[in-house]
Amino acid sequence: MLVYGDQIESKNAISYLSCIQTLLRHQQIENYEDHDLAVEVLIEYGMFESALADYLCPAEDHTHNLMTRMRATGMLSGAMVEKSWSADIQSVKVLCHQFQAALLSLEKFIPDVEIQIKPPEGYAYYSLYPEMYIVAADKYFAETHPHGAVCIGIRSIGTSLSSIVAARLENAGVQVRSYTVRPRGDYFDRVIKLSTDMEDELRDLSDRNFLIIDEGPGLSGSSFISTATKLKELGIPDYRIVFFPSWIPRSESLISEKARLIWPEHKKYLADFEEVWFHSGRMAALFPNHKFIDFSAGKWRSEIYPKDLAQPAAHPHHERRKYLCSRMPGLYHASDSPKVNSDTGILKFAGLGRFGKQTFDRARILAAEGFAPQALDYRNGFIMYEYIKGTPLTANGHHEKFLVSVAKYLDFIQKTFPAKPSRTFEEMFDMMVVNIEEACGAY
């Protein structure tokens, strides 16, 4: 049984905004050339904007003055990444100063309150890159050449993704308006609730295409569908409603009956990881003179397990993206990179921004304690690990040393990286009751 739970952090809104300003100062120190840092700014501001928007709109989304200011500032963060992606450093410098000024202006209006930050899972775990939406926006523009567009980001992660799409289209000369919305209600049958003023504002833009932007769809597809349904209620025709997802499932695989009917009706624009990073040559530029072998989604088993040995089960959907690749001298920028004997490495997605940095720091601590291979480098969300070719365990093998190592590892993890309690006993008990009833029926 798989159990999902949101990892929510509570942060003071003003203090969080100050942290984003600190990141911008680091970008200046790096002479505006650090693309990874520009992406981190986009991600952090997107989390801030999404959380504060949820605070300001507890029951329905509206066009509050502060919401409009936050959205305009978010589009500046998207423009920074868009220009950085194009290596237009001078424009990044200009936009960085504009973004700083916008943040200072926002400070006057931000309430001194606690906001609930939900880490964007796509950036942290599933190798979803904002640059994929730059390429998707290019495809959309090349095919439609619109005079205007309305970019609607679905909170949470759709906030920063919509900033990217909006910035790319504005750079192409498109007149862009942008909003964020929060789907509400049952996970499999969500709805969008808007204020009368916001509904009127969207109706006035009905001559434009409406771009619904988010990660996913998930199991139900209800976030995309609920947003499209609301737009249709406002009189926006189907042909003007466009989806920007991260992948395209078969419509019959969606759990929601409404989603199965509506999903095929709308045009979709997207780009995948391989297209953006490998086919373009950008990954080869980051890790020169490497040959990459895809080890994701259980593919590692055919390399590690002999043909005469049964391969273990795998859950491809929940594996992190990873590659076996050659490693050349001089690759690693860290002065204390250890000497290694292997000429190959494992390149594994660790997360963008602070999520990847935290994983890299933890990996180096585990390596220093002898629990894991050396973590040699961190770039573009990936950690390069030393590749140690071992012998797979078998049912008939001697496992005493392995079990002792596991016990030591678990003890070290518990003491060094203790889990933070995020749910009460009552919440955990309710979850167990629901799961048991789902499996066995109500009593």
PDB file of all heavy atoms in Angstrom, residues 200-234:
ATOM      1  N   ASP A 200     -15.629  38.240 -14.191  1.00  0.00           N
ATOM      2  CA  ASP A 200     -15.863  39.300 -15.177  1.00  0.00           C
ATOM      3  C   ASP A 200     -14.578  39.648 -15.926  1.00  0.00           C
ATOM      4  O   ASP A 200     -14.602  39.882 -17.143  1.00  0.00           O
ATOM      5  CB  ASP A 200     -16.404  40.550 -14.478  1.00  0.00           C
ATOM      6  CG  ASP A 200     -17.817  40.357 -13.939  1.00  0.00           C
ATOM      7  OD1 ASP A 200     -18.491  39.415 -14.399  1.00  0.00           O
ATOM      8  OD2 ASP A 200     -18.229  41.142 -13.063  1.00  0.00           O
ATOM      9  N   GLU A 201     -13.465  39.648 -15.204  1.00  0.00           N
ATOM     10  CA  GLU A 201     -12.183  39.983 -15.830  1.00  0.00           C
ATOM     11  C   GLU A 201     -11.812  38.939 -16.878  1.00  0.00           C
ATOM     12  O   GLU A 201     -11.314  39.266 -17.966  1.00  0.00           O
ATOM     13  CB  GLU A 201     -11.107  40.077 -14.741  1.00  0.00           C
ATOM     14  CG  GLU A 201      -9.864  40.836 -15.167  1.00  0.00           C
ATOM     15  CD  GLU A 201      -8.975  41.166 -13.984  1.00  0.00           C
ATOM     16  OE1 GLU A 201      -9.450  41.830 -13.042  1.00  0.00           O
ATOM     17  OE2 GLU A 201      -7.800  40.755 -14.019  1.00  0.00           O
ATOM     18  N   LEU A 202     -12.033  37.667 -16.562  1.00  0.00           N
ATOM     19  CA  LEU A 202     -11.712  36.602 -17.512  1.00  0.00           C
ATOM     20  C   LEU A 202     -12.654  36.642 -18.717  1.00  0.00           C
ATOM     21  O   LEU A 202     -12.230  36.396 -19.851  1.00  0.00           O
ATOM     22  CB  LEU A 202     -11.781  35.244 -16.815  1.00  0.00           C
ATOM     23  CG  LEU A 202     -10.714  34.990 -15.742  1.00  0.00           C
ATOM     24  CD1 LEU A 202     -10.957  33.666 -15.039  1.00  0.00           C
ATOM     25  CD2 LEU A 202      -9.316  35.028 -16.337  1.00  0.00           C
ATOM     26  N   ARG A 203     -13.912  36.954 -18.492  1.00  0.00           N
ATOM     27  CA  ARG A 203     -14.857  37.064 -19.626  1.00  0.00           C
ATOM     28  C   ARG A 203     -14.408  38.165 -20.588  1.00  0.00           C
ATOM     29  O   ARG A 203     -14.544  38.023 -21.805  1.00  0.00           O
ATOM     30  CB  ARG A 203     -16.257  37.368 -19.118  1.00  0.00           C
ATOM     31  CG  ARG A 203     -16.997  36.204 -18.508  1.00  0.00           C
ATOM     32  CD  ARG A 203     -18.471  36.529 -18.338  1.00  0.00           C
ATOM     33  NE  ARG A 203     -19.155  35.518 -17.541  1.00  0.00           N
ATOM     34  CZ  ARG A 203     -19.375  35.631 -16.240  1.00  0.00           C
ATOM     35  NH1 ARG A 203     -18.968  36.719 -15.583  1.00  0.00           N
ATOM     36  NH2 ARG A 203     -20.019  34.676 -15.586  1.00  0.00           N
ATOM     37  N   ASP A 204     -13.880  39.250 -20.060  1.00  0.00           N
ATOM     38  CA  ASP A 204     -13.438  40.352 -20.910  1.00  0.00           C
ATOM     39  C   ASP A 204     -12.246  39.973 -21.785  1.00  0.00           C
ATOM     40  O   ASP A 204     -11.927  40.681 -22.743  1.00  0.00           O
ATOM     41  CB  ASP A 204     -13.056  41.563 -20.039  1.00  0.00           C
ATOM     42  CG  ASP A 204     -14.270  42.226 -19.402  1.00  0.00           C
ATOM     43  OD1 ASP A 204     -15.398  41.978 -19.882  1.00  0.00           O
ATOM     44  OD2 ASP A 204     -14.094  42.966 -18.420  1.00  0.00           O
ATOM     45  N   LEU A 205     -11.593  38.852 -21.457  1.00  0.00           N
ATOM     46  CA  LEU A 205     -10.426  38.393 -22.228  1.00  0.00           C
ATOM     47  C   LEU A 205     -10.771  37.231 -23.143  1.00  0.00           C
ATOM     48  O   LEU A 205      -9.883  36.536 -23.635  1.00  0.00           O
ATOM     49  CB  LEU A 205      -9.311  37.972 -21.255  1.00  0.00           C
ATOM     50  CG  LEU A 205      -8.755  39.074 -20.346  1.00  0.00           C
ATOM     51  CD1 LEU A 205      -7.889  38.470 -19.239  1.00  0.00           C
ATOM     52  CD2 LEU A 205      -7.946  40.084 -21.151  1.00  0.00           C
ATOM     53  N   SER A 206     -12.050  37.024 -23.399  1.00  0.00           N
ATOM     54  CA  SER A 206     -12.500  35.821 -24.095  1.00  0.00           C
ATOM     55  C   SER A 206     -12.058  35.737 -25.553  1.00  0.00           C
ATOM     56  O   SER A 206     -12.218  34.693 -26.188  1.00  0.00           O
ATOM     57  CB  SER A 206     -14.030  35.711 -24.026  1.00  0.00           C
ATOM     58  OG  SER A 206     -14.636  36.839 -24.638  1.00  0.00           O
ATOM     59  N   ASP A 207     -11.477  36.821 -26.095  1.00  0.00           N
ATOM     60  CA  ASP A 207     -10.970  36.753 -27.467  1.00  0.00           C
ATOM     61  C   ASP A 207      -9.557  36.176 -27.516  1.00  0.00           C
ATOM     62  O   ASP A 207      -8.979  36.039 -28.594  1.00  0.00           O
ATOM     63  CB  ASP A 207     -10.974  38.148 -28.099  1.00  0.00           C
ATOM     64  CG  ASP A 207     -10.064  39.126 -27.371  1.00  0.00           C
ATOM     65  OD1 ASP A 207      -9.873  38.969 -26.143  1.00  0.00           O
ATOM     66  OD2 ASP A 207      -9.549  40.051 -28.023  1.00  0.00           O
ATOM     67  N   ARG A 208      -9.003  35.827 -26.363  1.00  0.00           N
ATOM     68  CA  ARG A 208      -7.655  35.256 -26.301  1.00  0.00           C
ATOM     69  C   ARG A 208      -7.732  33.756 -26.032  1.00  0.00           C
ATOM     70  O   ARG A 208      -8.750  33.234 -25.599  1.00  0.00           O
ATOM     71  CB  ARG A 208      -6.835  35.913 -25.184  1.00  0.00           C
ATOM     72  CG  ARG A 208      -6.686  37.417 -25.312  1.00  0.00           C
ATOM     73  CD  ARG A 208      -5.753  37.945 -24.239  1.00  0.00           C
ATOM     74  NE  ARG A 208      -5.611  39.394 -24.312  1.00  0.00           N
ATOM     75  CZ  ARG A 208      -4.698  40.087 -23.637  1.00  0.00           C
ATOM     76  NH1 ARG A 208      -3.853  39.472 -22.833  1.00  0.00           N
ATOM     77  NH2 ARG A 208      -4.641  41.405 -23.752  1.00  0.00           N
ATOM     78  N   ASN A 209      -6.612  33.070 -26.273  1.00  0.00           N
ATOM     79  CA  ASN A 209      -6.499  31.674 -25.871  1.00  0.00           C
ATOM     80  C   ASN A 209      -6.166  31.609 -24.389  1.00  0.00           C
ATOM     81  O   ASN A 209      -5.401  32.443 -23.865  1.00  0.00           O
ATOM     82  CB  ASN A 209      -5.414  30.964 -26.672  1.00  0.00           C
ATOM     83  CG  ASN A 209      -5.857  30.674 -28.086  1.00  0.00           C
ATOM     84  OD1 ASN A 209      -7.026  30.834 -28.424  1.00  0.00           O
ATOM     85  ND2 ASN A 209      -4.923  30.253 -28.924  1.00  0.00           N
ATOM     86  N   PHE A 210      -6.709  30.597 -23.708  1.00  0.00           N
ATOM     87  CA  PHE A 210      -6.461  30.392 -22.284  1.00  0.00           C
ATOM     88  C   PHE A 210      -5.573  29.165 -22.111  1.00  0.00           C
ATOM     89  O   PHE A 210      -5.958  28.056 -22.519  1.00  0.00           O
ATOM     90  CB  PHE A 210      -7.777  30.219 -21.533  1.00  0.00           C
ATOM     91  CG  PHE A 210      -8.537  31.508 -21.343  1.00  0.00           C
ATOM     92  CD1 PHE A 210      -9.155  32.136 -22.420  1.00  0.00           C
ATOM     93  CD2 PHE A 210      -8.624  32.103 -20.101  1.00  0.00           C
ATOM     94  CE1 PHE A 210      -9.852  33.326 -22.256  1.00  0.00           C
ATOM     95  CE2 PHE A 210      -9.319  33.291 -19.913  1.00  0.00           C
ATOM     96  CZ  PHE A 210      -9.926  33.908 -20.994  1.00  0.00           C
ATOM     97  N   LEU A 211      -4.411  29.365 -21.526  1.00  0.00           N
ATOM     98  CA  LEU A 211      -3.433  28.292 -21.344  1.00  0.00           C
ATOM     99  C   LEU A 211      -3.459  27.838 -19.893  1.00  0.00           C
ATOM    100  O   LEU A 211      -3.160  28.620 -18.981  1.00  0.00           O
ATOM    101  CB  LEU A 211      -2.026  28.795 -21.701  1.00  0.00           C
ATOM    102  CG  LEU A 211      -1.642  28.952 -23.175  1.00  0.00           C
ATOM    103  CD1 LEU A 211      -2.662  29.732 -23.981  1.00  0.00           C
ATOM    104  CD2 LEU A 211      -0.266  29.587 -23.298  1.00  0.00           C
ATOM    105  N   ILE A 212      -3.844  26.592 -19.659  1.00  0.00           N
ATOM    106  CA  ILE A 212      -3.894  26.028 -18.314  1.00  0.00           C
ATOM    107  C   ILE A 212      -2.590  25.265 -18.086  1.00  0.00           C
ATOM    108  O   ILE A 212      -2.271  24.336 -18.829  1.00  0.00           O
ATOM    109  CB  ILE A 212      -5.109  25.107 -18.132  1.00  0.00           C
ATOM    110  CG1 ILE A 212      -6.407  25.878 -18.426  1.00  0.00           C
ATOM    111  CG2 ILE A 212      -5.140  24.529 -16.733  1.00  0.00           C
ATOM    112  CD1 ILE A 212      -7.644  25.006 -18.409  1.00  0.00           C
ATOM    113  N   ILE A 213      -1.841  25.664 -17.051  1.00  0.00           N
ATOM    114  CA  ILE A 213      -0.453  25.221 -16.902  1.00  0.00           C
ATOM    115  C   ILE A 213      -0.259  24.555 -15.544  1.00  0.00           C
ATOM    116  O   ILE A 213      -0.557  25.142 -14.501  1.00  0.00           O
ATOM    117  CB  ILE A 213       0.500  26.431 -17.049  1.00  0.00           C
ATOM    118  CG1 ILE A 213       0.260  27.129 -18.396  1.00  0.00           C
ATOM    119  CG2 ILE A 213       1.955  25.997 -16.916  1.00  0.00           C
ATOM    120  CD1 ILE A 213       0.700  28.570 -18.424  1.00  0.00           C
ATOM    121  N   ASP A 214       0.274  23.331 -15.570  1.00  0.00           N
ATOM    122  CA  ASP A 214       0.488  22.603 -14.313  1.00  0.00           C
ATOM    123  C   ASP A 214       1.363  21.400 -14.575  1.00  0.00           C
ATOM    124  O   ASP A 214       1.590  21.001 -15.724  1.00  0.00           O
ATOM    125  CB  ASP A 214      -0.856  22.157 -13.729  1.00  0.00           C
ATOM    126  CG  ASP A 214      -0.752  21.717 -12.267  1.00  0.00           C
ATOM    127  OD1 ASP A 214       0.220  22.116 -11.601  1.00  0.00           O
ATOM    128  OD2 ASP A 214      -1.640  20.985 -11.802  1.00  0.00           O
ATOM    129  N   GLU A 215       1.855  20.804 -13.486  1.00  0.00           N
ATOM    130  CA  GLU A 215       2.451  19.479 -13.567  1.00  0.00           C
ATOM    131  C   GLU A 215       1.312  18.483 -13.740  1.00  0.00           C
ATOM    132  O   GLU A 215       0.155  18.801 -13.547  1.00  0.00           O
ATOM    133  CB  GLU A 215       3.208  19.192 -12.268  1.00  0.00           C
ATOM    134  CG  GLU A 215       3.899  17.852 -12.218  1.00  0.00           C
ATOM    135  CD  GLU A 215       4.523  17.569 -10.850  1.00  0.00           C
ATOM    136  OE1 GLU A 215       4.230  18.316  -9.903  1.00  0.00           O
ATOM    137  OE2 GLU A 215       5.282  16.609 -10.758  1.00  0.00           O
ATOM    138  N   GLY A 216       1.657  17.263 -14.111  1.00  0.00           N
ATOM    139  CA  GLY A 216       0.595  16.253 -14.199  1.00  0.00           C
ATOM    140  C   GLY A 216       0.063  16.119 -15.611  1.00  0.00           C
ATOM    141  O   GLY A 216       0.735  16.478 -16.566  1.00  0.00           O
ATOM    142  N   PRO A 217      -1.134  15.553 -15.762  1.00  0.00           N
ATOM    143  CA  PRO A 217      -2.156  15.315 -14.744  1.00  0.00           C
ATOM    144  C   PRO A 217      -1.831  14.138 -13.834  1.00  0.00           C
ATOM    145  O   PRO A 217      -1.038  13.271 -14.176  1.00  0.00           O
ATOM    146  CB  PRO A 217      -3.397  15.014 -15.581  1.00  0.00           C
ATOM    147  CG  PRO A 217      -2.860  14.376 -16.818  1.00  0.00           C
ATOM    148  CD  PRO A 217      -1.572  15.101 -17.103  1.00  0.00           C
ATOM    149  N   GLY A 218      -2.487  14.133 -12.652  1.00  0.00           N
ATOM    150  CA  GLY A 218      -2.346  13.025 -11.727  1.00  0.00           C
ATOM    151  C   GLY A 218      -3.323  11.911 -12.057  1.00  0.00           C
ATOM    152  O   GLY A 218      -3.767  11.768 -13.208  1.00  0.00           O
ATOM    153  N   LEU A 219      -3.671  11.130 -11.059  1.00  0.00           N
ATOM    154  CA  LEU A 219      -4.541   9.976 -11.286  1.00  0.00           C
ATOM    155  C   LEU A 219      -5.909  10.380 -11.827  1.00  0.00           C
ATOM    156  O   LEU A 219      -6.495   9.680 -12.657  1.00  0.00           O
ATOM    157  CB  LEU A 219      -4.718   9.199  -9.980  1.00  0.00           C
ATOM    158  CG  LEU A 219      -3.471   8.493  -9.430  1.00  0.00           C
ATOM    159  CD1 LEU A 219      -3.781   7.912  -8.060  1.00  0.00           C
ATOM    160  CD2 LEU A 219      -3.007   7.408 -10.381  1.00  0.00           C
ATOM    161  N   SER A 220      -6.423  11.506 -11.354  1.00  0.00           N
ATOM    162  CA  SER A 220      -7.780  11.882 -11.741  1.00  0.00           C
ATOM    163  C   SER A 220      -7.831  12.886 -12.881  1.00  0.00           C
ATOM    164  O   SER A 220      -8.802  12.926 -13.636  1.00  0.00           O
ATOM    165  CB  SER A 220      -8.515  12.466 -10.531  1.00  0.00           C
ATOM    166  OG  SER A 220      -7.963  13.731 -10.177  1.00  0.00           O
ATOM    167  N   GLY A 221      -6.801  13.733 -12.995  1.00  0.00           N
ATOM    168  CA  GLY A 221      -6.844  14.792 -13.997  1.00  0.00           C
ATOM    169  C   GLY A 221      -7.784  15.927 -13.627  1.00  0.00           C
ATOM    170  O   GLY A 221      -8.079  16.798 -14.449  1.00  0.00           O
ATOM    171  N   SER A 222      -8.251  15.937 -12.359  1.00  0.00           N
ATOM    172  CA  SER A 222      -9.316  16.867 -12.003  1.00  0.00           C
ATOM    173  C   SER A 222      -8.858  18.322 -11.920  1.00  0.00           C
ATOM    174  O   SER A 222      -9.686  19.229 -12.050  1.00  0.00           O
ATOM    175  CB  SER A 222      -9.955  16.452 -10.673  1.00  0.00           C
ATOM    176  OG  SER A 222      -9.017  16.486  -9.617  1.00  0.00           O
ATOM    177  N   SER A 223      -7.569  18.567 -11.704  1.00  0.00           N
ATOM    178  CA  SER A 223      -7.111  19.958 -11.627  1.00  0.00           C
ATOM    179  C   SER A 223      -7.222  20.645 -12.983  1.00  0.00           C
ATOM    180  O   SER A 223      -7.746  21.763 -13.096  1.00  0.00           O
ATOM    181  CB  SER A 223      -5.670  20.006 -11.109  1.00  0.00           C
ATOM    182  OG  SER A 223      -5.604  19.602  -9.760  1.00  0.00           O
ATOM    183  N   PHE A 224      -6.704  19.999 -14.021  1.00  0.00           N
ATOM    184  CA  PHE A 224      -6.848  20.545 -15.370  1.00  0.00           C
ATOM    185  C   PHE A 224      -8.327  20.670 -15.751  1.00  0.00           C
ATOM    186  O   PHE A 224      -8.770  21.692 -16.274  1.00  0.00           O
ATOM    187  CB  PHE A 224      -6.140  19.647 -16.391  1.00  0.00           C
ATOM    188  CG  PHE A 224      -4.664  19.910 -16.530  1.00  0.00           C
ATOM    189  CD1 PHE A 224      -3.737  19.109 -15.887  1.00  0.00           C
ATOM    190  CD2 PHE A 224      -4.197  20.955 -17.314  1.00  0.00           C
ATOM    191  CE1 PHE A 224      -2.374  19.339 -16.017  1.00  0.00           C
ATOM    192  CE2 PHE A 224      -2.841  21.192 -17.455  1.00  0.00           C
ATOM    193  CZ  PHE A 224      -1.925  20.376 -16.802  1.00  0.00           C
ATOM    194  N   ILE A 225      -9.074  19.601 -15.487  1.00  0.00           N
ATOM    195  CA  ILE A 225     -10.461  19.548 -15.945  1.00  0.00           C
ATOM    196  C   ILE A 225     -11.326  20.570 -15.216  1.00  0.00           C
ATOM    197  O   ILE A 225     -12.194  21.217 -15.827  1.00  0.00           O
ATOM    198  CB  ILE A 225     -11.022  18.123 -15.759  1.00  0.00           C
ATOM    199  CG1 ILE A 225     -10.176  17.119 -16.561  1.00  0.00           C
ATOM    200  CG2 ILE A 225     -12.483  18.069 -16.186  1.00  0.00           C
ATOM    201  CD1 ILE A 225      -9.940  17.480 -18.009  1.00  0.00           C
ATOM    202  N   SER A 226     -11.119  20.745 -13.918  1.00  0.00           N
ATOM    203  CA  SER A 226     -11.931  21.706 -13.173  1.00  0.00           C
ATOM    204  C   SER A 226     -11.673  23.130 -13.665  1.00  0.00           C
ATOM    205  O   SER A 226     -12.611  23.944 -13.735  1.00  0.00           O
ATOM    206  CB  SER A 226     -11.638  21.605 -11.675  1.00  0.00           C
ATOM    207  OG  SER A 226     -10.280  21.917 -11.389  1.00  0.00           O
ATOM    208  N   THR A 227     -10.427  23.422 -14.021  1.00  0.00           N
ATOM    209  CA  THR A 227     -10.109  24.759 -14.535  1.00  0.00           C
ATOM    210  C   THR A 227     -10.742  24.974 -15.904  1.00  0.00           C
ATOM    211  O   THR A 227     -11.334  26.025 -16.174  1.00  0.00           O
ATOM    212  CB  THR A 227      -8.587  24.950 -14.604  1.00  0.00           C
ATOM    213  OG1 THR A 227      -7.988  24.593 -13.346  1.00  0.00           O
ATOM    214  CG2 THR A 227      -8.236  26.394 -14.930  1.00  0.00           C
ATOM    215  N   ALA A 228     -10.640  23.972 -16.769  1.00  0.00           N
ATOM    216  CA  ALA A 228     -11.263  24.080 -18.091  1.00  0.00           C
ATOM    217  C   ALA A 228     -12.784  24.203 -17.967  1.00  0.00           C
ATOM    218  O   ALA A 228     -13.420  24.975 -18.704  1.00  0.00           O
ATOM    219  CB  ALA A 228     -10.893  22.863 -18.938  1.00  0.00           C
ATOM    220  N   THR A 229     -13.374  23.458 -17.043  1.00  0.00           N
ATOM    221  CA  THR A 229     -14.820  23.508 -16.847  1.00  0.00           C
ATOM    222  C   THR A 229     -15.270  24.901 -16.420  1.00  0.00           C
ATOM    223  O   THR A 229     -16.282  25.423 -16.913  1.00  0.00           O
ATOM    224  CB  THR A 229     -15.249  22.467 -15.800  1.00  0.00           C
ATOM    225  OG1 THR A 229     -14.894  21.157 -16.262  1.00  0.00           O
ATOM    226  CG2 THR A 229     -16.746  22.524 -15.552  1.00  0.00           C
ATOM    227  N   LYS A 230     -14.533  25.512 -15.504  1.00  0.00           N
ATOM    228  CA  LYS A 230     -14.873  26.862 -15.061  1.00  0.00           C
ATOM    229  C   LYS A 230     -14.778  27.858 -16.223  1.00  0.00           C
ATOM    230  O   LYS A 230     -15.645  28.726 -16.392  1.00  0.00           O
ATOM    231  CB  LYS A 230     -13.954  27.285 -13.911  1.00  0.00           C
ATOM    232  CG  LYS A 230     -14.047  28.751 -13.515  1.00  0.00           C
ATOM    233  CD  LYS A 230     -15.474  29.189 -13.187  1.00  0.00           C
ATOM    234  CE  LYS A 230     -15.955  28.624 -11.882  1.00  0.00           C
ATOM    235  NZ  LYS A 230     -17.286  29.190 -11.488  1.00  0.00           N
ATOM    236  N   LEU A 231     -13.747  27.731 -17.042  1.00  0.00           N
ATOM    237  CA  LEU A 231     -13.613  28.641 -18.180  1.00  0.00           C
ATOM    238  C   LEU A 231     -14.766  28.467 -19.160  1.00  0.00           C
ATOM    239  O   LEU A 231     -15.292  29.455 -19.706  1.00  0.00           O
ATOM    240  CB  LEU A 231     -12.269  28.399 -18.888  1.00  0.00           C
ATOM    241  CG  LEU A 231     -11.009  28.783 -18.088  1.00  0.00           C
ATOM    242  CD1 LEU A 231      -9.753  28.390 -18.863  1.00  0.00           C
ATOM    243  CD2 LEU A 231     -10.991  30.274 -17.778  1.00  0.00           C
ATOM    244  N   LYS A 232     -15.183  27.239 -19.371  1.00  0.00           N
ATOM    245  CA  LYS A 232     -16.333  27.013 -20.263  1.00  0.00           C
ATOM    246  C   LYS A 232     -17.608  27.611 -19.680  1.00  0.00           C
ATOM    247  O   LYS A 232     -18.445  28.141 -20.421  1.00  0.00           O
ATOM    248  CB  LYS A 232     -16.494  25.512 -20.531  1.00  0.00           C
ATOM    249  CG  LYS A 232     -15.418  24.963 -21.476  1.00  0.00           C
ATOM    250  CD  LYS A 232     -15.754  23.587 -21.997  1.00  0.00           C
ATOM    251  CE  LYS A 232     -15.395  22.513 -21.023  1.00  0.00           C
ATOM    252  NZ  LYS A 232     -15.512  21.156 -21.629  1.00  0.00           N
ATOM    253  N   GLU A 233     -17.755  27.543 -18.365  1.00  0.00           N
ATOM    254  CA  GLU A 233     -18.909  28.181 -17.725  1.00  0.00           C
ATOM    255  C   GLU A 233     -18.914  29.685 -17.948  1.00  0.00           C
ATOM    256  O   GLU A 233     -19.973  30.321 -17.975  1.00  0.00           O
ATOM    257  CB  GLU A 233     -18.888  27.888 -16.216  1.00  0.00           C
ATOM    258  CG  GLU A 233     -19.189  26.436 -15.854  1.00  0.00           C
ATOM    259  CD  GLU A 233     -19.014  26.175 -14.372  1.00  0.00           C
ATOM    260  OE1 GLU A 233     -18.683  27.149 -13.635  1.00  0.00           O
ATOM    261  OE2 GLU A 233     -19.183  25.028 -13.945  1.00  0.00           O
ATOM    262  N   LEU A 234     -17.721  30.275 -18.112  1.00  0.00           N
ATOM    263  CA  LEU A 234     -17.608  31.712 -18.339  1.00  0.00           C
ATOM    264  C   LEU A 234     -17.761  32.091 -19.814  1.00  0.00           C
ATOM    265  O   LEU A 234     -17.617  33.253 -20.173  1.00  0.00           O
ATOM    266  CB  LEU A 234     -16.257  32.215 -17.815  1.00  0.00           C
ATOM    267  CG  LEU A 234     -16.012  32.043 -16.311  1.00  0.00           C
ATOM    268  CD1 LEU A 234     -14.610  32.523 -15.939  1.00  0.00           C
ATOM    269  CD2 LEU A 234     -17.068  32.776 -15.505  1.00  0.00           C
TER     270      LEU A 234
END
